[in-house]
Amino acid sequence: MDKILIRGGKRLRGEVNISSAKNSVLPLIAATLLSGDKCIIDNAPMLDDVFVINDLLRSINADVKIDEKLQRVTIDTSNINRCEPNGELVRKMRASFLIMGPMISRFGGFKLSLPGGCNIGTRPIDLHLKGFNALGVKVNIGHGYVEAYADRLKGDKVYLDFPSVGATENIMMAAVMAEGETIIENAAEEPEIEDLGNFLNSMGANITGAGSGNIHIYGVRNLKGTTYKPIYDRIEAGTFMAAAIATRSKIKINGIKEEHLKPIIAKLAEAGVYIKVDGESLIIDADRKLKAIDIKTMPYPGFPTDMQSQMAAVLSTVEGTSIITETIFENRFMYASEMKRMGANIKIDGRSAIIEGVPKLTGAEVRATDLRAGAALIIEGLSAEGETQVLDIYHVDRGYVSIEEKLKKLGADIERVKQ
């Protein structure tokens, strides 16, 4: 199993290019099931999760070709002949649930093993199933499986008790070929939802309002193949912004959309960071005295939960007291004990992390507890004195394309070590 070795204390410089968003590409790949035709996704990030969900489609007889050099995924779902994907692959990744909506829409049923993923808290599927029920789907859960079937799907109004991204995506994909109109109220507003809506519309769907709190889906008879380029990864961009701040550096980040980064930019400006946006690039300069801040994670357009651990790494060396309150996942502070090994002063109180900034961190052997925690520990290692080893780096590989190579090009002393 690989680990990341970092010799910290070096400032970053230069430019970094952001990859396409994993959290957008995964539902797009799932949505290719709807067409029974060939779909091409360009500029796809070559990540473990992307490979897993493609293997999942192969397990039900989809023809999948991945060109890593061109970063292109070509999927032909015309020969799918099973509605029960490989259970072992499903259990590897929670995003496997995203195939439920397309399968119920196109095939009228599925049988799916309960999935896995990062251990960051309870993420029930009740909202997904509530939406399916509204469309006329019968659901049974038992013996580690979810089974569903429907004679026909009929549009209806669905109100989500919480604006769940996964539930919004699944209901959208289930409803695209349902009879009549489906309205999703209190829908998730993340940019990845808008991207999925644009992708489905490029296949012939009729969806309005994707990316807003109210999404209207007008059922169509069938969908066709398409070629599509997903949005950039706002969380990867935010992670490199955090790396620049932790090392008090100035870098240029290419591949951003200012609108998607507004919650992050606003908080960093509050801390005293200089940020200048120029089209699809931004300059971030943190070579200055920074201020402690408070952060509360919220559904988009609030501050993203996927950035809170990286901000904890940043605030660990900012003078004063910062408080991070997590409202989305109840178990997302597992990184705190690892950061303490490096000298961070973090206290967890319920749903909040209280961070007292320290003058410096020191390198240590630490373990990634989940995807974003792993990125945060790498950030701390970049700013710490001495050598840091980040173990269980497979978590990070699920969401970042060659993170160590991108940081190395920025001047970091970092390498991947085979074990």
Side-chain angles (χ1 to χ4, degrees), residues 163-235:
S164 162
V165 173
T168 300
E169 291 168 340
N170 247 330
I171 298 165
M172 286 173 65
M173 291 186 284
V176 286
M177 292 188 283
E179 180 185 325
E181 180 184 5
T182 300
I183 302 173
I184 308 174
E185 297 182 329
N186 197 32
E189 300 180 29
E190 273 74 1
E192 293 79 13
I193 300 293
E194 182 181 7
D195 208 32
L196 176 59
N198 291 337
F199 180 74
L200 292 170
N201 283 340
S202 76
M203 297 169 72
N206 186 354
I207 300 172
T208 61
S212 73
N214 286 278
I215 302 174
H216 293 252
I217 303 121
Y218 305 90
V220 298
R221 284 188 174 272
N222 51 59
L223 299 179
K224 64 182 187 300
T226 189
T227 298
Y228 193 82
K229 181 180 177 181
I231 59 174
Y232 293 115
D233 193 329
R234 61 196 171 99
I235 304 302

Side-chain angles (χ1 to χ4, degrees), residues 156-168:
D156 202 345
K157 186 177 290 186
V158 181
Y159 179 85
L160 296 179
D161 300 327
F162 178 84
S164 162
V165 173
T168 300

Side-chain angles (χ1 to χ4, degrees), residues 156-325:
D156 202 345
K157 186 177 290 186
V158 181
Y159 179 85
L160 296 179
D161 300 327
F162 178 84
S164 162
V165 173
T168 300
E169 291 168 340
N170 247 330
I171 298 165
M172 286 173 65
M173 291 186 284
V176 286
M177 292 188 283
E179 180 185 325
E181 180 184 5
T182 300
I183 302 173
I184 308 174
E185 297 182 329
N186 197 32
E189 300 180 29
E190 273 74 1
E192 293 79 13
I193 300 293
E194 182 181 7
D195 208 32
L196 176 59
N198 291 337
F199 180 74
L200 292 170
N201 283 340
S202 76
M203 297 169 72
N206 186 354
I207 300 172
T208 61
S212 73
N214 286 278
I215 302 174
H216 293 252
I217 303 121
Y218 305 90
V220 298
R221 284 188 174 272
N222 51 59
L223 299 179
K224 64 182 187 300
T226 189
T227 298
Y228 193 82
K229 181 180 177 181
I231 59 174
Y232 293 115
D233 193 329
R234 61 196 171 99
I235 304 302
E236 185 190 17
T239 298
F240 277 95
M241 293 167 78
I245 301 166
T247 55
R248 305 300 189 264
S249 303
K250 179 181 179 181
I251 65 171
K252 184 179 182 182
I253 300 175
N254 302 315
I256 63 103
K257 187 171 182 179
E258 183 179 9
E259 184 70 24
H260 298 170
L261 290 173
K262 272 188 175 180
I264 300 171
I265 290 172
K267 272 298 168 186
L268 298 185
E270 186 182 325
V273 179
Y274 172 80
I275 298 171
K276 180 182 179 181
V277 177
D278 182 11
E280 291 190 343
S281 299
L282 67 79
I283 300 289
I284 180 164
D285 185 354
D287 186 12
R288 56 196 66 219
K289 184 174 175 59
L290 302 179
K291 298 177 290 185
I293 56 173
D294 294 342
I295 294 171
K296 183 177 184 180
T297 65
M298 296 288 285
Y300 190 87
F303 192 89
T305 179
D306 278 353
M307 275 299 299
Q308 67 102 324
S309 56
Q310 298 93 308
M311 288 305 300
V314 166
L315 296 170
S316 292
T317 57
V318 174
E319 183 180 348
T321 303
S322 298
I323 300 175
I324 299 178
T325 302

Side-chain angles (χ1 to χ4, degrees), residues 55-110:
D55 284 343
L56 191 67
L57 266 58
R58 288 189 179 107
S59 78
I60 52 175
N61 212 35
D63 181 15
V64 181
K65 294 181 175 63
I66 299 176
D67 189 322
E68 295 193 36
K69 187 175 181 180
L70 293 176
Q71 298 181 30
R72 174 178 293 163
V73 179
T74 304
I75 304 170
D76 185 342
T77 62
S78 59
N79 292 322
I80 288 179
N81 56 13
R82 296 180 58 207
C83 291
E84 185 178 346
N86 182 284
E88 184 178 343
L89 292 170
V90 171
R91 288 188 291 273
K92 276 187 176 183
M93 184 178 65
R94 184 172 178 81
S96 305
F97 255 23
L98 291 169
I99 70 171
M100 292 195 304
M103 292 188 78
I104 200 72
S105 181
R106 181 175 165 197
F107 301 107
F110 63 82

